[in-house]
Amino acid sequence: YGPETLLLDEPFSSLDAQTRIVMQAELLRLWQRQKRTVLFVTHDLDEAIALSDRVIVLTPRPCRIKLELAIRIPRPRDVVEIRQLEEYQTTYQTLWAALSPEVKTGGAVVP
């Protein structure tokens, strides 16, 4: 069975930090070989940037797209080494700016 699309909802969230990095690298390796479409849900900005070509930030209920951002870090990627890149830092700051209002209010919408 070889699905064209993989749907992954926080598959690495219960792993320790070191195992998470190993599994992220393995997912990147598999993607590089198979080129499947992957819809990956995560609350981890590092993970989103390392694994994605595009990140979509959603609002609290009612759910809407708040930001869609293309990740411009070339592949192949090393999930640890990319954190040193200027593009990574800029991307992280952009995503955090979009998320931080909801994080600071616990997801409540503040007028």
Side-chain angles (χ1 to χ4, degrees), residues 9-82:
D9 187 0
E10 300 197 63
F12 308 141
S13 63
S14 64
L15 301 176
D16 63 81
Q18 294 80 11
T19 305
R20 176 181 272 211
I21 289 170
V22 169
M23 294 305 295
Q24 289 170 345
E26 180 65 10
L27 179 61
L28 287 174
R29 188 185 68 74
L30 288 170
W31 180 86
Q32 190 70 33
R33 193 175 75 218
Q34 298 179 358
K35 302 287 197 232
R36 305 264 192 243
T37 298
V38 179
L39 177 61
F40 193 100
V41 176
T42 185
H43 289 88
D44 184 321
L45 292 181
D46 292 318
E47 188 168 70
I49 297 166
L51 301 179
S52 303
D53 291 320
R54 181 171 42 140
V55 174
I56 298 174
V57 177
L58 302 175
T59 65
R61 291 183 183 108
C63 184
R64 304 258 191 276
I65 294 175
K66 182 172 187 174
L67 175 69
E68 183 174 344
L69 184 66
I71 305 300
R72 302 194 188 285
I73 299 171
R75 292 181 182 269
R77 297 180 190 157
D78 180 298
V79 296
V80 175
E81 291 179 8
I82 66 165

